[in-house]
Amino acid sequence: MIIFKKVEDIQNYISKQKSNDKTIGFAPTMGALHAGHMSLIEFGKIESDILVASIFVNPTQFNDKSDFEKYPITIDADIELLEKNHCDVLFLPNVSEMYPDGMELKEHYNLGPVENLLEGAFRPGHFQGVCQVVERLLRIVTPHKLFMGQKDFQQVMVLRKMIELKKIDTNLIMLPIKRSDDGLALSSRNARLDKTNLNHALTIIQVLEKIKSSISKTSFETLKNEAEETLLKNGFEKIDYIELALQNDLTPLSNWNNEKPSIVLIAAWIGGVRLIDNILID
Ligand code: AMP
């Protein structure tokens, strides 16, 4: 695997590859890599000639300073894992390389209602920061294909909008959530949970599955109340949201509509760590 730290160096490399008609795939990450990230690398390798991963913990998307400061950094293990999974290129910039003119947002992305729902309501400014960093990365890497996880479903929606607004020529491909054998959605933040809380964290997928299997017979309000109660009984401190929404634009639904694909999304706190997860209902 080739590691680039400088924008100019990776740009020279990419333009050489493109002049040889190679397709470029890209999986941006914030590091602390796990098998969820590797599922993007694995699929990306099949779908492109050159697979580029990036690791950059982007300060501008953290509305909570302590979340940023506690974000796990495991760079040596990350490099090892990427090499083991045959990633071709790692882009590993520092802050001044990513933001040579400073970190303040130069423009406001007009993302529409999706920006302020769900994650947006609880993490003000988060998606502006996500768009800022991903636009910069896309301008540098210029990938034909961009691989992202359904784990961050709303992020995928927001970035589709940004890509359309900024007329960026890339194909965003969303890949399913990779889970542990017992169903916990893999996440870099899981590393901050102790054994007991890791066990309790499984309650998230249990309540999501329960809602999915009952939604055609029981009102969403009843299922949501039950889910909240179950999470709070199983070690969760706080629930930011449990919402049912349309898959295509995240419009909130008060009840299931069997004609339109929907999704149930959860954000909840355990052991001082905020976890998110979701399940598609087609
Ligand atoms: P992050 O490092 O958390 O910014 O995530 C980088 C990319 O990996 C994003 O596209 C995430 O949606 C994706 N990702 C994170 N966790 C998982 C998972 N458990 N399964 C699949 N993709 C994931």
Side-chain angles (χ1 to χ4, degrees):
M1 181 172 73
I2 313 175
I3 302 179
F4 293 108
K5 294 190 173 179
K6 299 281 170 216
V7 170
E8 198 189 331
D9 294 343
I10 190 166
Q11 281 179 323
N12 287 338
Y13 171 87
I14 299 274
S15 62
K16 208 185 276 168
Q17 298 303 325
K18 283 190 163 177
S19 66
N20 289 329
D21 281 337
K22 302 285 189 206
T23 56
I24 310 294
F26 181 39
T29 82
M30 297 203 298
L33 301 180
H34 49 67
H37 298 111
M38 290 311 116
S39 67
L40 307 185
I41 303 294
E42 206 176 301
F43 188 82
K45 276 286 289 180
I46 299 168
E47 291 286 309
S48 33
D49 296 320
I50 306 286
L51 198 271
V52 180
S54 65
I55 297 179
F56 179 66
V57 185
N58 174 37
T60 74
Q61 71 189 68
F62 286 83
N63 54 313
D64 175 353
K65 196 166 168 258
S66 92
D67 189 28
F68 174 61
E69 283 161 359
K70 287 188 205 148
Y71 204 83
I73 307 227
T74 58
I75 194 67
D76 293 339
D78 291 350
I79 291 173
E80 205 174 302
L81 202 55
L82 287 168
E83 281 186 326
K84 217 165 101 192
N85 284 274
H86 313 291
C87 179
D88 299 297
V89 172
L90 169 62
F91 182 45
L92 187 60
N94 63 17
V95 171
S96 60
E97 202 61 22
M98 282 299 286
Y99 297 119
D101 304 323
M103 286 197 277
E104 64 291 341
L105 210 59
K106 300 288 177 303
E107 64 168 305
H108 182 87
Y109 295 88
N110 210 346
L111 301 168
V114 75
E115 177 177 4
N116 298 314
L117 299 166
L118 303 163
E119 288 300 287
F122 286 88
R123 304 182 67 186
H126 168 65
F127 287 125
Q128 291 294 321
V130 168
C131 287
Q132 178 190 26
V133 73
V134 176
E135 183 184 5
R136 171 92 174 121
L137 287 166
L138 291 175
R139 302 272 181 218
I140 295 166
V141 178
T142 63
H144 299 92
K145 295 173 186 174
L146 172 63
F147 302 99
M148 308 210 86
Q150 180 204 318
K151 167 85 170 25
D152 300 278
F153 188 87
Q154 189 174 6
Q155 172 171 277
V156 171
M157 304 232 84
V158 160
L159 290 174
R160 280 198 200 290
K161 180 80 186 169
M162 183 279 283
I163 286 166
E164 178 196 312
L165 283 175
K166 306 303 289 184
K167 300 187 171 54
I168 296 175
D169 188 14
T170 191
N171 179 10
L172 196 168
I173 297 162
M174 183 174 80
L175 295 167
I177 302 175
K178 182 93 177 169
R179 299 179 180 279
S180 66
D181 289 344
D182 34 18
L184 179 64
L186 299 182
S187 163
S188 306
R189 288 186 174 85
N190 294 350
R192 288 172 46 204
L193 294 174
D194 64 20
K195 219 166 161 210
T196 311
N197 282 336
L198 263 179
N199 242 330
H200 277 144
L202 290 172
T203 316
I204 291 200
I205 185 60
Q206 288 160 4
V207 302
L208 283 172
E209 298 276 12
K210 172 75 201 312
I211 294 173
K212 181 173 175 166
S213 64
S214 311
I215 195 112
S216 61
K217 327 182 259 292
T218 312
S219 79
F220 178 62
E221 199 189 338
T222 305
L223 293 171
K224 178 174 161 165
N225 289 337
E226 276 174 23
E228 281 180 357
E229 219 175 280
T230 309
L231 287 167
L232 294 172
K233 257 200 270 173
N234 284 281
F236 280 81
E237 291 119 36
K238 193 165 71 139
I239 293 152
D240 279 354
Y241 59 78
I242 301 178
E243 292 294 346
L244 174 68
L246 288 179
Q247 265 178 45
N248 74 341
D249 60 4
L250 283 180
T251 300
L253 294 173
S254 51
N255 253 315
W256 183 57
N257 172 345
N258 69 353
E259 279 159 27
K260 294 189 177 153
S262 50
I263 177 168
V264 179
L265 310 101
I266 290 187
W269 292 80
I270 186 162
V273 180
R274 187 173 184 277
L275 301 181
I276 60 169
D277 199 349
N278 65 71
I279 197 163
L280 302 177
I281 304 178
D282 290 314

